[in-house]
């Protein structure tokens, strides 16, 4: 199992430790990146990725190693502490760069066979909205199964988390790892994913964006082929 972790912060706090805990229990080959250390550029809104090609993005080459790691992974873990009830600015900026990969544009077909995990922590609240920030992207990328785990740790550091809560986190990550392992190679798109794909397919048939329509046509998705069929 190949695992790619995107940490929405460069420090090693509670979110980092939970993501590492889960990855260790999955017992796979781990590749990880820290934001903004490994990528910190803001999307400048040039729309080159939508109207021309993703390699026209001014940050394409810098982002390329992370993109390749995402594509090669069986499991993608997006981990972010809660900042003002949402993900970190670094995580949001990172996800902004993959708007062209949403199903409305040019989804990567390998995403339709993957699993994803969204992890967030906070001293107080906001885990639900932070996880939604990340899960919105995994859904629209086409990933059929996304797990969400938010932990209210009542502390500003991992060292400050109470032992009882750490035991609860241990149990939760163990159960989550078992689910992921059990579903490895067996995930299938939900009805919601398929419905959204077919709606986008109708739009592509109308050539509403020639770059996207050509992509779908080359993939055979305007015909009988589907990204979730091997």
């Amino acid at each position: 199992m190949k695992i790619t972790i995107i940490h929405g912060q460069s420090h090693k706090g509670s979110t980092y430790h939970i993501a590492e805990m889960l990855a260790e229990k999955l017992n796979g080959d781990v590749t990880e990146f820290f934001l903004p250390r490994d990528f910190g550029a803001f999307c400048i809104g040039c729309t080159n990725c939508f109207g021309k090609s993703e390699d026209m993005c001014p940050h394409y080459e810098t982002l390329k190693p992370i993109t390749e790691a995402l594509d090669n992974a069986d499991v993608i873990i997006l981990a972010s502490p809660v900042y003002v009830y949402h993900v970190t600015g670094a995580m949001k900026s990172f996800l902004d760069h993959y708007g062209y990969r949403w199903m409305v544009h040019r989804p990567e077909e390998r995403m339709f066979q993957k699993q994803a995990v969204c992890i967030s922590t906070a001293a107080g609240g906001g885990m639900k909205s932070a996880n939604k920030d990340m899960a919105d992207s995994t859904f629209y990328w086409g990933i059929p199964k996304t797990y969400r785990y938010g932990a209210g740790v009542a502390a500003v550091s991992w060292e400050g988390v109470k032992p009882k809560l750490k035991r609860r986190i241990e149990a939760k990550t163990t159960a989550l790892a078992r689910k992921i392992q059990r579903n490895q190679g067996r995930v299938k798109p939900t009805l919601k994913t398929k419905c959204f794909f077919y709606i986008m397919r109708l739009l592509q048939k109308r050539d509403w964006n020639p770059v996207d329509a050509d992509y779908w046509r080359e993939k055979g998705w305007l015909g009988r082929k589907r990204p979730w069929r091997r």
Side-chain angles (χ1 to χ4, degrees):
M1 182 185 292
K2 293 183 178 180
I3 305 159
T4 294
I5 307 175
I6 308 297
H7 297 282
Q9 76 295 315
S10 294
H11 67 273
K12 297 181 178 180
S14 297
T15 318
Y16 164 83
H17 280 88
I18 294 175
E20 294 293 310
M21 189 184 297
L22 176 61
E24 183 178 349
K25 291 174 181 179
L26 289 173
N27 194 30
D29 181 12
V30 179
T31 302
E32 57 188 338
F33 300 91
F34 294 84
L35 309 175
R37 187 191 72 188
D38 295 321
F39 183 79
F42 288 100
C43 171
I44 63 172
C46 66
T47 71
N48 282 338
C49 61
F50 297 129
K52 297 178 181 178
S53 172
E54 60 269 23
D55 59 12
M56 296 295 290
C57 170
H59 309 132
Y60 174 79
E61 289 298 330
T62 307
L63 199 58
K64 190 174 181 180
I66 306 180
T67 303
E68 291 175 349
L70 291 173
D71 290 345
N72 292 330
D74 298 302
V75 178
I76 295 172
I77 299 175
L78 301 179
S80 175
V82 175
Y83 283 12
V84 292
Y85 261 60
H86 291 281
V87 293
T88 63
M91 177 64 80
K92 176 62 169 62
S93 181
F94 168 77
L95 294 174
D96 285 346
H97 283 79
Y98 291 102
Y100 74 91
R101 282 192 166 208
W102 280 33
M103 276 188 275
V104 67
H105 295 291
R106 302 188 301 281
E108 165 56 47
E109 58 191 313
R110 283 174 286 183
M111 291 292 165
F112 290 82
Q113 281 88 42
K114 301 181 187 297
Q115 298 182 82
V117 185
C118 298
I119 297 172
S120 65
T121 69
M127 292 80 71
K128 184 176 180 180
S129 53
N131 279 337
K132 184 180 184 300
D133 290 339
M134 297 181 284
D136 281 347
S137 281
T138 61
F139 171 77
Y140 288 111
W141 288 348
I143 294 178
K145 185 65 177 178
T146 296
Y147 308 87
R148 307 184 193 192
Y149 179 41
V153 294
V156 294
S157 69
W158 182 244
E159 292 72 22
V161 179
K162 294 180 179 180
K164 183 178 180 180
L165 181 52
K166 285 185 176 179
R167 289 194 294 271
R168 195 181 307 158
I169 292 170
E170 280 279 0
K172 179 67 177 182
T173 52
T174 296
L176 184 53
R178 287 173 180 166
K179 286 182 182 179
I180 295 169
Q181 290 169 330
R182 186 166 58 247
N183 290 328
Q184 176 63 18
R186 300 179 181 179
V187 290
K188 296 180 180 179
T190 63
L191 179 61
K192 181 181 177 181
T193 298
K194 288 185 176 181
C195 286
F196 192 81
F197 177 88
Y198 285 117
I199 292 171
M200 296 304 103
R201 182 172 176 268
L202 291 175
L203 288 178
Q204 303 305 340
K205 282 189 171 184
R206 297 179 180 179
D207 280 335
W208 76 287
N209 180 351
V211 175
D212 296 341
D214 287 346
Y215 178 86
W216 281 62
R217 195 171 292 110
E218 290 169 5
K219 292 290 184 181
W221 297 342
L222 300 186
R224 294 182 177 274
K225 290 186 178 181
R226 299 293 178 265
W228 54 82
R229 294 176 187 163
R230 298 182 180 180

